[in-house]
């Protein structure tokens, strides 16, 4: 939590990307701050991430939650 408090403290975080295993499958997830939507941020971050993670297949799905404002 201290790590995230430091990161979020400057107020300039566009989002985050994470990789994890669920049900024996490698997955990727991300969150992008709404003010950055439509600017290509998610595309750029996921492209860079996929250049680092070379373990196909990598799964993703839409998380339907009440986070949107």
């Amino acid at each position: 939590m201290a790590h995230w408090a430091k990161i979020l403290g400057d107020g300039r975080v566009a989002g985050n990307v994470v990789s994890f295993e669920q049900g024996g499958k490698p997955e990727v997830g991300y969150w992008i701050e709404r003010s950055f939507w439509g600017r290509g941020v998610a595309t750029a971050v996921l492209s860079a991430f996929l250049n680092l993670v070379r373990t196909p297949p990598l799964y993703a799905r839409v998380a339907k939650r009440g986070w949107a404002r």
Side-chain angles (χ1 to χ4, degrees), residues 31-42:
W31 167 83
I32 302 295
E33 165 60 40
R34 189 177 194 127
S35 64
F36 288 91
W37 290 7
R39 298 184 183 188
V41 173

Side-chain angles (χ1 to χ4, degrees), residues 3-4 6-18 28-37 39-46 49 67 69:
H3 172 72
W4 276 105
K6 182 178 177 182
I7 290 172
L8 296 173
D10 69 8
R12 296 175 24 190
V13 176
N16 71 345
V17 63
V18 63
V28 63
Y30 65 92
W31 167 83
I32 302 295
E33 165 60 40
R34 189 177 194 127
S35 64
F36 288 91
W37 290 7
R39 298 184 183 188
V41 173
T43 300
V45 169
L46 287 171
F49 181 79
W67 296 334
R69 292 181 214 152

Side-chain angles (χ1 to χ4, degrees), residues 1 32 37 40-41 47 50 61:
M1 291 309 296
I32 302 295
W37 290 7
V41 173
S47 294
L50 292 173
R61 69 181 124 212

